[in-house]
Amino acid sequence: MDTAVLVHLIIAVVGIVVLIAWAKINPVISLVVGALYLGVAGGLGFADTVAAVNEGFGNLMAEVGLIIGFGVMIGTTLTATGTIQRVVDGLLRLVGPQKSPYVLGLSAGIIFPSIYFDVALVILAPIAGALAKRTGRSIATMAGSLAIGLEVALLIVVPGVAAVAVAGPLGVDLGTLLLWGIPLAVFFIISSIYLHDRLMRLIFDPVKDRDDAFDDSIFGVEGTEKPSTGGDDTDGDGDGDGDGDGDGDGDGDGRVSVATAPAPTATKYRMPLVVALLPVIVPVLLIVVDTIARVAGQEVPLLSFLGSPVVALLIGLFIGILLAVPAVTRDGVDELITRGAQTSGSILLFTGVAGSLGQVITEVGVADMLSSVFQANASIPVLLAWAVAAVLRLAQGSASVAAITAASLLAPVLGSIDTAAILILLASGCGAAFGGHVTDNTFWIFKQMLGFTTKGTFKIYTLAQSTFAVVGLVTCLALDLVV
């Protein structure tokens, strides 16, 4: 029976891919069809299968629905105020166009604490698109760098949710995780981006891998500034746009419309960049402070309230709206928020149906089956932890669940093996990055935010994170020889 369920899981996943990539069926419909098939074929019965599909959609929406919605809206306000473009300018002036993929990946993985992958993705995706346009680097390279950085942050770096969660059952204190995690994260990000970039030069085809219906004007105008300096500033206004008004749209009127939101801020007075970034900085700080307090065993009700992701992002959204008023006027704020809501709508639909499939996978008992298969093979713990996490990621989509499950399997035998607990943590995290695809809700968010076809998303999102997973495995096996 166990084998039959695993076979049905394979059929469901392959069927979903075929429906999307070959039959050109909408991914939302394909995911629901796959979930219904797996539930019925896996023995849940007709009524329980439908209940699982609904429950999975609802549970995921309850968990990330408002977070994604508010995150997208914050990204819209940052775009309207020109903050994203200013971040792009700063990165380009700092390192030049050739190194911009590495800076983006390191920023996503080290500078921006990836407490919630989805939030970081919807905020940083426009920066990746803008960097690609401004530098002339391939969007595949920039998007892959973002995917790698965010996944490393989630699984390896404190306070990434999965990294912290895995540390608990393995008995790894956060100080040890910080000492190991940050240096290794830098290595993982740089080496993985380098390898993925080389792969993209061989296999990425913009004609086939980009979505024709996607409007990439949201990423700004291509080649509006010289990459290495941040702009010619031929108009003498100090913004490098050459139009004399500081808004970067070339019309000289000094105002940014919502339709051309990626342009830099419209006002003559440009607020300090740290102020412009407050819609992102404030929520991150609130969440991080609350996380640190809880780790330290201090439960502060007010801090827990303010540091909850929904409340923290709502505060950030309010700040973003206030800062956007000079750029779009008070009348334009409603249009700005409506645009963000429309963008988040399709993202939430993709996310929800991925949750439906994940719930069915859980209820047919796939995770338990895989656990029993691998638990008897603890003689090669590093490879085992990586393999269990990789298989679970392929099967059910969530990197966090895959890493935590893999680590939990090895936790009971840590006292009887020579392998250091930190290596099991790292192997579990790296394995959990392998093969994220249609069962992963962030696969669809990534696709929608950056404008790739499903095939293109496999090449970039799936392959980028899998590159990190393989690099991580090799590194962990090498460390196991000396630690």
Side-chain angles (χ1 to χ4, degrees):
M1 181 62 182
D2 289 356
T3 302
V5 172
L6 291 176
V7 169
H8 288 307
L9 173 63
I10 294 171
I11 293 173
V13 172
V14 172
I16 291 169
V17 174
V18 170
L19 286 175
I20 295 169
W22 180 75
K24 307 297 182 184
I25 303 297
N26 185 279
V28 173
I29 298 173
S30 301
L31 283 165
V32 173
V33 169
L36 291 172
Y37 166 80
L38 178 60
V40 173
L44 287 184
F46 295 105
D48 287 345
T49 294
V50 173
V53 169
N54 290 330
E55 182 182 352
F57 188 97
N59 288 345
L60 196 54
M61 285 299 95
E63 183 179 347
V64 303
L66 288 176
I67 292 172
I68 292 174
F70 290 159
V72 172
M73 292 178 190
I74 288 174
T76 305
T77 64
L78 291 175
T79 303
T81 57
T83 302
I84 291 175
Q85 294 290 51
R86 292 179 65 188
V87 171
V88 171
D89 294 343
L91 291 174
L92 294 180
R93 282 193 291 266
L94 181 65
V95 302
Q98 293 306 311
K99 296 179 182 178
S100 54
Y102 300 98
V103 173
L104 178 64
L106 290 170
S107 297
I110 308 298
I111 299 174
F112 290 89
S114 186
I115 300 176
Y116 291 95
F117 189 106
D118 297 346
V119 175
L121 177 57
V122 297
I123 290 176
L124 293 175
I127 293 181
L131 272 171
K133 275 201 164 186
R134 301 287 290 278
T135 64
R137 296 300 299 266
S138 169
I139 183 63
T141 295
M142 299 308 306
S145 300
L146 178 61
I148 290 167
L150 291 177
E151 194 79 341
V152 170
L154 174 70
L155 296 166
I156 302 297
V157 179
V158 175
V161 170
V164 173
V166 171
L170 292 178
V172 177
D173 65 84
L174 294 186
T176 300
L177 183 54
L178 279 169
L179 290 174
W180 282 81
I182 291 179
L184 284 174
V186 172
F187 172 75
F188 290 154
I189 290 170
I190 292 174
S191 55
S192 300
I193 290 174
Y194 176 84
L195 293 173
H196 183 257
D197 176 45
R198 295 305 184 272
L199 288 172
M200 289 302 98
R201 296 183 187 190
L202 297 174
I203 66 174
F204 180 70
D205 183 354
V207 175
K208 296 180 180 179
D209 298 332
R210 296 301 304 276
D211 184 355
D212 292 338
F214 183 75
D215 180 10
D216 68 353
S217 65
I218 64 171
F219 297 146
V221 180
E222 188 169 359
T224 55
E225 294 189 10
K226 287 186 177 180
S228 60
T229 62
D232 289 337
D233 195 25
T234 56
D235 55 1
D237 66 1
D239 63 4
D241 60 12
D243 65 4
D245 61 11
D247 65 2
D249 59 8
D251 60 8
D253 66 1
R255 185 174 300 282
V256 175
S257 68
V258 176
T260 58
T265 183
T267 55
K268 289 288 184 180
Y269 169 72
R270 301 182 72 185
M271 67 188 77
L273 184 58
V274 67
V275 175
L277 283 170
L278 285 177
V280 176
I281 294 173
V282 170
V284 167
L285 284 178
L286 288 172
I287 296 171
V288 168
V289 170
D290 177 51
T291 301
I292 293 173
R294 285 188 284 106
V295 169
Q298 301 296 319
E299 290 289 343
V300 183
L302 178 60
L303 185 57
S304 297
F305 173 75
L306 295 177
S308 64
V310 171
V311 174
L313 285 169
L314 181 60
I315 293 171
L317 178 57
F318 279 133
I319 297 172
I321 290 172
L322 291 175
L323 296 179
V325 169
V328 300
T329 74
R330 292 179 62 183
D331 294 335
V333 168
D334 183 61
E335 182 184 351
L336 193 69
I337 298 304
T338 300
R339 181 186 179 199
Q342 290 172 341
T343 301
S344 64
S346 60
I347 296 173
L348 291 172
L349 191 57
F350 281 106
T351 302
V353 294
S356 296
L357 180 59
Q359 183 67 27
V360 173
I361 288 173
T362 298
E363 294 200 13
V364 297
V366 171
D368 293 337
M369 297 173 200
L370 294 176
S371 298
S372 63
V373 169
F374 286 106
Q375 198 163 19
N377 298 282
S379 58
I380 44 174
V382 170
L383 184 59
L384 175 62
W386 188 95
V388 171
V391 172
L392 286 170
R393 176 67 186 277
L394 285 166
Q396 53 81 46
S398 170
S400 298
V401 170
I404 294 167
T405 303
S408 299
L409 287 176
L410 273 295
V413 299
L414 280 178
S416 60
I417 60 178
D418 295 330
T419 305
I422 184 65
L423 289 184
I424 300 299
L425 184 152
L426 294 169
S428 300
C430 293
F434 185 82
H437 57 105
V438 297
T439 59
D440 177 7
N441 63 287
T442 52
F443 177 95
W444 302 108
I445 299 173
F446 187 90
K447 174 186 181 297
Q448 294 295 104
M449 291 292 297
L450 289 159
F452 297 112
T453 63
T454 301
K455 179 181 179 181
T457 310
F458 273 108
K459 288 184 180 180
I460 299 165
Y461 180 86
T462 305
L463 190 54
Q465 294 187 350
S466 298
T467 301
F468 152 51
V470 173
V471 169
L473 173 61
V474 173
T475 303
C476 289
L477 290 174
L479 288 173
D480 193 30
L481 298 175
V482 296
V483 175

